[in-house]
């Protein structure tokens, strides 16, 4: 995907002026409430006309004030998933899903509906009335509806912020799986760093109508470590589960990890917060922690309150945080050896 | 109460025919005007609104008279239509137009309220899904305000059934041709002993519109249950 | 087709006249249109199809004549009517002179309703109009029918109506007939429009209104035919 | 166009007086009926709804006739009122009642739509905060549907300005006493050559109702901005 | 407070039958969606009439079917805070706040409005239009409005579930402070264990229209430990902050604790999740953890997946969780000595 945007839009008391290019398939727009994220999205989708500038998607010019080009929303092939789903209330789930698909020429239908429906796990909902869906189901159907319109780019405007905590984590896997399987470029809008981390690779940081920064999501997450006490979420791909009675063992690359057996063992992605990881100089003894991984410090970096430490654990990367004093106490510097210690219950399944 | 005479039955048929035609014809126009008033920002909305509401404000006879001036053979629109051999006055067409004009403000107001209640994001969603504006109109906008359209339609239909003043001026009171129920009632009241016949027709009129309103309510409940 | 524009007050008589004419001329199609004289005049003015105009108000006939819509010379009076006073039967005999003893009297608005105009004339002659008006005893109705309705329902003590209309009353009775010399004669003019003069059948119906048969029908309905 | 005669000015004053009184009187009743229809589950709602809408369906003259039957000296309600020396027909009271009855369905429908749109939790909240039902009614329910009430009121006021058929039957056409604008217009149009006078009054009528509708719109915008 | 309820209410397809007495001032109703929590609340507040039964609050009978008593909502003095605030949109914040107060007799006004307004920190909002409040501000005003009506009991129906994560934690302190200062009995309805823990002392556990259980919130939290990977939140009252440059030191009773300096030092309540606490047999060395507290095991208890351990730390109580195997490895049994280890960044301010 190639997206180039250079537009301006003035409202009374607010001005949005953005100029950027994106190539990654998984991009995000990150910014506080009122920073202009929705305004930007509406201009991309053709729901709001910029005062000046151009918008180009791949080799198509969507908008060019000078040249007098302004493709209408329906011709842009830019899909939108809204915060509150906005499923058509007078149609069944099935009709909602196929609304977009039925409106594009057959030869351009590059998504297999059956497959998408099974990936989203909405097979059983097809004949339901939209009013009878739960919040998470609604967002899955909304996502399916947008994808089935075979867009060249999907904009997701805080699709999770209307859902409560648990639901959010049930829907993220679907989102990730869909974008992985169907490889549709997306622009994910959110003011949650956590969602950003899970969904995107590159982010535009917006503030006050301007693009303040453009960087990899990883970098953003590392920089923001310690802000609001959230820490950094390490995302681990764990495989080959083994049932050890009360515990489960998984393999993280070559590293064995212990997890609490709160669910059926199954490979997948798991989260480990930097806040839950202790560093020791030597392998500690007689501890309740089940995971003690010898690591080599790859690098350290300063954040506002803490020091971030990137560790190499037999080829895997893990990020933790320590207070500045520990740097010297433990002799943490690139190349030194440390032991990362955390409890079995510290590792949580993402999906 | 007297049973209904063949002329009465004819008047009932004509009434239904006029009310139905007027409603069906006014519906698309009424929708368009309501759309303009509710969802767009065109200049002169206030003036348009005023004109739409005129028939509500003016005595129907005056409305009829103004229509006569406009559509009569010497009226500028009537003259134009005359070139195509289309005659409005003293025809059922005239009765339809009179009914349509008088019921129009009720129709527009109902639909307008419905349109104003639609969340614009549904419309935006359908556009980004590739629907052109008319596609969105028919698949999203209209279905979403179907209850309001229904309410407006039944209201207008009922009003048309009772239209008298404008009709008698524009279409005349010609038994079997343009004589609808209200005109027949009027005629009976000028006939010795016609009161009971007038009453029968009144009752028919009441029953008809009760039926329409009830059907409307039922359909409304069904729509709301969806 | 013969298009007839007939004052609504003559609805019954004309229904029978049309039936009578049709038996003699089975191929003739008559299409009546019953409305107030004023409405009819305006419809004709705006080009509504009409061959014959029958008015209850000579003023509207004059109006159309001046506009050239009724062919000069075709207009004539074909029936007369009388003004009566109706109300509930009461013990004391009533006449124009002791109307002042009543509380409420209905009549058509003198400005727009001919019957009201005649009634006013009669009362003025009798010298009671000013007094009645001053005491606000006069109820102005929009037409004769409405005055009749008020009298019939007992809303007023009495009403000035035409003799022909009095027959429509169910409870009210004719209390007295207004003396002829107190008001101008009540006239019903008829005239042929420009299209009517070109329509032979319309011409025939126009003539039929003078036939003995028509006169009988008109008399039956309480009109006073021309001699 | 002719300037307005003193009688015309009187008719205008009477019209405004009648429309205003009718609207003010109908408002509480209309609100109550709308409340019944919108927020309660009483049996026979459909019948009530039908009766309220009757004046919309019947020709106004018939409505006037029915009112006359009811309120006339020999009507059962009129007879009763007569005992207290209250006379309805041939008075301005009659004109007010005729206008009120004919405009009533429009008023009720508007308010009803407004009431149906109120979130019941506001009402529950005020009750749990210690407000009795009438307290809630005046401090919460009515303010929350003020826009709908406003819309209904302007509509009814405009309709009352144009009321002719029922008024002329119930109140009679007495210059200076019950002759409102539409009655004066009628009188002018039934006199040969009165057209220009009628037109002047028509324009007055149009201007008045435009003014009312525009004021209503402006107030509406103001309410919506709050 | 004394609340006795024994009522029944049938809907099509749902039946609510509850029978309980409560005395604590801080009670909660906990249960999944659709379990009948709102139904119960409506019956208490007088917004829904039970089919049979009685409701008594202190010495007042609110409802008694047999005796034909059914106090209307406005006479019950039972306040309600709704999920979506439902502030009156046509009134200013001030008018909303005083709506209830103005409706009770002067001699019964036992709340000082000025004081409440300052506790809720809504002084600056008083003349604002309600539409211009943020979600958190709305709930604060709604709370104030209910309290100013001087109710004998306040029902809070998931007042936080409409707010997103961060906001929730900003509002809880206000709630707690208000109920502490004005000592009004409350019934807090929620399906969040975390909120329950922070707000109540005793809970009714509802399911399917029935009261399944009645217990202390503490007990509920300990039982549910490990469910959904949430752990148990230790709530610590920390005092006497001292600024040590990059770190802050606080006192938890007699125990010194280290925290990251992400904010102005100030005494208050803080959260420490059991997931973040490691146990060691001996005082570990060369570790990045700043807090190492020698403790004595008071007792252990089994939960579904893990073992809960209650520790005595110089008189303070702390709960952690370990996997069953560690029980033997570390010889964790009542009376044994262990060291609880956690990072400075593991302690988060509640308010
Ligand atoms: N149609 C409009 N007219 C006037 N101002 C507007 C309009 N739409 C948006 N704004 C203003 O533009 C600013 C940015 O709004 P926008 O919705 O883009 O923010 P956002 O980043 O999406 O915030 P959030 O995270 O709350 O959704 C706001 O201050 C808003 O008031
Ligand atoms: N007025 C009603 N008519 C019929 N059923 C109702 C009514 N009110 C509630 N119910 C039913 O009662 C059950 C309990 O509803 P209730 O709102 O009390 O649950 P809840 O515990 O508050 O759930 P949530 O956490 O989702 O708010 C639901 O199954 C609901 O469908
Ligand atoms: Mg936004
Ligand atoms: Mg609930």
């Amino acid at each position: 995907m190639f997206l180039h945007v250079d537009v301006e839009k003035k409202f009374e008391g607010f001005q949005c002026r953005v100029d950027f290019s994106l190539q990654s398939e998984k991009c995000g727009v990150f910014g506080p409430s009122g920073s202009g994220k929705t305004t930007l999205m509406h201009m991309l989708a053709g729901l709001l006309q910029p005062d000046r500038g151009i918008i180009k998607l791949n080799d198509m010019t969507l908008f060019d004030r000078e040249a007098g080009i302004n493709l209408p929303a329906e011709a842009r092939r830019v899909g939108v998933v809204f915060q509150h789903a906005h499923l058509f209330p007078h149609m069944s789930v099935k009709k909602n899903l196929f609304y977009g698909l039925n409106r594009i020429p057959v030869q351009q239908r590059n998504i297999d509906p059956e497959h998408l429906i099974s990936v989203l796990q909405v097979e059983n909902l097809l004949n339901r009335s939209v009013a009878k869906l739960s919040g998470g189901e609604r967002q899955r159907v909304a996502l399916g509806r947008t994808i089935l319109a075979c867009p060249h780019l999907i904009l997701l405007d805080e699709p999770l912020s209307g859902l409560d905590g648990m639901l959010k984590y049930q829907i993220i896997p679907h989102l990730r799986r869909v974008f992985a399987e169907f490889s549709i470029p997306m622009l994910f809008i959110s003011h949650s760093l956590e969602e950003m981390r899970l969904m995107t690779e590159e982010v535009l940081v917006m503030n006050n109508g301007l693009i303040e920064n453009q960087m990899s999501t990883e970098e953003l997450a590392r920089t923001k470590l310690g802000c609001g006490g959230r820490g950094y979420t390490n995302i681990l791909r764990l495989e080959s589960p083994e049932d050890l009675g009360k515990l489960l063992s998984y393999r993280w690359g070559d590293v064995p990890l212990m997890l609490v057996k709160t669910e059926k063992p199954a490979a997948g992605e798991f989260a480990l917060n930097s806040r839950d990881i202790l560093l020791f100089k030597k392998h500690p003894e007689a501890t309740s922690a089940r995971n003690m991984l010898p690591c080599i410090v790859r690098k350290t970096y300063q954040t506002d309150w803490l020091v971030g430490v990137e560790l190499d654990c037999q080829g895997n990367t893990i990020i933790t945080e320590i207070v500045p004093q520990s740097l010297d106490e433990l002799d943490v510097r690139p190349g030194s050896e440390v032991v990362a210690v955390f409890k079995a219950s510290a590792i949580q399944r993402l999906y | 109460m007297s049973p209904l005479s063949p002329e009465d039955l004819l008047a009932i048929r004509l009434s239904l025919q006029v009310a139905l035609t007027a409603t069906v014809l006014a519906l698309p126009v009424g929708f368009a005007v309501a759309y303009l008033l509710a969802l767009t920002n065109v200049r002169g909305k206030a003036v348009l609104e005023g004109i739409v509401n005129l028939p509500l404000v003016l005595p129907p006879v005056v409305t009829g008279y103004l229509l006569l001036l406009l559509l009569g053979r010497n009226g500028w629109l009537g003259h134009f239509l005359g070139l195509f051999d289309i005659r409005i006055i003293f025809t059922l067409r005239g009765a339809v137009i009179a009914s349509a004009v008088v019921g129009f403000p009720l129709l527009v107001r109902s639909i307008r309220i419905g349109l104003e209640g639609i969340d614009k994001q549904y419309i935006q969603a359908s556009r980004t899904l590739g629907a052109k504006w008319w596609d969105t109109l028919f698949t999203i906008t209209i279905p979403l305000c179907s209850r309001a359209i229904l309410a407006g339609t039944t209201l207008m239909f009922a009003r048309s059934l009772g239209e008298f003043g404008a009709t008698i001026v524009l279409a005349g009171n010609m038994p079997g041709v343009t004589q609808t129920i209200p005109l027949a009632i009027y005629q009976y009241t000028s006939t010795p002993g016609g009161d009971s016949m007038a009453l029968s027709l009144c009752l028919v009129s009441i029953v008809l519109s009760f039926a329409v309103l009830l059907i409307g309510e039922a359909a409304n409940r069904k729509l709301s249950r969806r | 087709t013969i298009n007839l524009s007939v004052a609504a007050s003559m609805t019954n008589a004309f229904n029978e006249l049309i039936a009578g004419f049709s038996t003699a001329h089975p191929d003739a199609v008559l299409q009546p249109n019953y409305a107030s004289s004023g409405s009819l005049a305006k419809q004709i003015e705006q080009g509504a199809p009409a061959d014959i105009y029958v008015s209850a108000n000579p003023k509207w006939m004059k109006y159309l004549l001046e506009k050239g819509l009724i062919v000069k010379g075709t207009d004539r009076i074909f029936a007369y009517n009388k003004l009566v006073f109706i109300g509930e039967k009461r013990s004391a005999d009533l006449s124009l002179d002791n109307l002042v003893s009543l509380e409420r009297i209905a009549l058509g608005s003198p400005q727009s309703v001919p019957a009201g105009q005649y009634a006013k004339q009669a009362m003025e002659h009798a010298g009671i109009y000013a007094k009645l008006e001053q005491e606000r005893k006069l109820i102005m109705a929009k037409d004769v029918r409405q005055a009749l309705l008020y009298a019939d329902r007992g809303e007023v003590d009495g009403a000035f109506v035409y003799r022909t209309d009095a027959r429509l009353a169910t409870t009210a009775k004719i209390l007295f007939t207004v003396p002829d010399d107190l008001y101008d004669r009540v006239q019903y003019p008829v005239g042929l429009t420009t299209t009517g003069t070109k329509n032979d059948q319309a011409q025939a119906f126009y003539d039929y209104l003078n036939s003995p048969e028509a006169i009988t029908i008109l008399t039956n309905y309480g009109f006073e035919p021309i001699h």
Side-chain angles (χ1 to χ4, degrees), chain B residues 45-115:
Chain B
K45 259 167 74 168
V47 174
L48 180 60
E49 162 130 47
I51 291 172
V52 166
N53 281 315
L54 263 192
L56 202 68
V57 178
L58 292 177
V61 178
V62 173
T63 307
Y65 185 59
L66 293 177
L67 285 175
L68 186 67
L69 289 184
L70 182 70
L71 297 169
R73 209 178 309 183
N74 306 329
W76 62 265
L77 196 55
H79 182 74
F80 177 75
L81 290 173
L83 298 179
F84 300 92
D85 221 18
I86 299 174
R87 195 153 59 85
I88 304 289
I89 59 170
F90 281 21
T91 62
L92 213 52
R93 274 193 284 270
V96 168
I97 289 178
S99 283
V101 167
V102 171
F104 199 64
L106 302 176
L107 182 69
V108 169
R109 190 161 282 258
S110 285
I111 298 180
R112 182 181 170 180
I113 290 173
L115 283 172

Side-chain angles (χ1 to χ4, degrees), chain A residues 109-347:
Chain A
R109 297 184 189 172
N110 50 18
I111 304 275
D112 172 16
E114 309 253 308
H115 183 43
L116 180 70
I117 286 168
S118 83
V119 170
L120 287 172
Q121 294 173 12
V122 291
E123 300 94 330
N124 300 327
L125 311 176
L126 290 183
N127 294 315
R128 283 243 205 117
S129 139
V130 157
K132 285 180 188 131
L133 297 181
S134 75
E137 289 166 346
R138 297 177 72 80
Q139 283 299 9
R140 261 144 65 200
V141 174
L143 180 63
R145 180 177 73 172
T146 304
I147 290 174
L148 278 180
C150 307
H152 299 322
L153 169 67
I154 292 192
L155 310 174
L156 299 109
D157 192 5
E158 314 201 24
L160 306 178
S161 72
L163 308 175
D164 75 10
M166 292 290 280
L167 258 179
K168 200 174 285 193
Y169 286 102
Q170 285 164 20
I171 189 98
I172 285 181
H174 289 100
L175 279 172
R176 288 184 57 138
R177 205 178 306 132
V178 163
F179 284 98
E181 289 225 14
F182 296 91
S183 67
I184 306 167
M186 69 160 168
L187 205 58
F188 186 88
I189 297 175
S190 177
H191 55 234
S192 152
L193 180 58
E194 216 160 356
E195 292 171 14
M196 227 13 121
R197 269 278 290 155
L198 294 171
M199 293 300 303
T200 67
E201 284 165 357
E202 191 177 1
V203 275
L204 300 167
V205 182
M206 276 195 89
N207 209 348
N208 221 346
L210 300 172
I211 306 278
E212 258 189 352
N213 228 322
Q214 178 169 1
M215 56 169 105
S216 80
T217 316
E218 182 64 25
E219 203 181 333
L220 179 70
R222 291 189 188 191
T223 321
K224 294 276 175 179
L225 177 155
C227 283
R230 272 195 235 94
Y232 172 91
T233 306
N234 291 284
I235 298 174
L236 321 179
R237 167 113 212 131
L238 302 187
E239 287 171 347
S240 331
E242 239 175 276
D243 195 333
L244 308 178
K246 284 282 178 184
L247 291 176
L248 295 176
S249 105
Y250 279 88
R251 293 204 79 81
W252 178 37
D254 295 332
V255 183
L257 291 181
M258 294 296 179
L259 273 72
V260 179
K261 190 183 156 195
T262 51
E263 39 155 36
K264 267 216 326 278
E269 297 205 41
F270 292 77
L272 172 60
N273 196 290
S274 60
R275 213 171 65 187
D276 295 341
I277 307 170
L278 269 59
L279 289 190
F280 283 78
K281 194 66 205 159
K282 291 180 301 186
H283 201 291
E285 275 165 36
T287 165
S288 63
R290 291 295 93 184
N291 297 294
M292 288 167 276
L293 315 181
C295 305
I296 295 171
V297 176
R298 216 181 269 148
K299 66 172 183 185
T300 64
Y301 62 96
Q302 192 70 41
T303 69
D304 289 349
W305 312 110
L306 293 162
V307 178
V309 183
E310 184 179 330
L311 302 170
D312 178 336
C313 182
Q314 294 185 44
N316 296 314
T317 302
I318 193 169
I319 301 237
T320 183
E321 61 195 34
I322 56 176
V323 295
Q325 280 150 289
S326 304
L327 262 184
D328 296 332
E329 281 182 34
L330 299 183
D331 186 27
V332 174
R333 54 186 167 69
S336 60
E337 291 180 14
V338 290
V339 181
V341 176
F342 47 92
K343 301 177 81 153
S345 55
I347 304 179

Side-chain angles (χ1 to χ4, degrees), chain B residues 65 68-69 72-75 87 89-90 168-169 172-175 177 186-187 190-192, chain C residues 3 8 11-12 15 31-36 39 42-43 45-49 145 167-168:
Chain B
Y65 185 59
L68 186 67
L69 289 184
R73 209 178 309 183
N74 306 329
R87 195 153 59 85
I89 59 170
F90 281 21
I168 199 170
V169 174
N173 174 20
M174 301 158 77
V177 181
Y186 167 76
Q187 183 153 329
S190 20
T191 314
Chain C
N3 287 303
T11 304
N12 316 309
N15 275 338
Q31 183 59 66
N33 171 38
Y34 301 112
S36 70
S39 289
K42 288 197 175 128
Q43 287 168 340
E45 188 185 358
Q46 291 305 320
R145 300 284 184 218
R167 302 153 65 96
L168 295 175

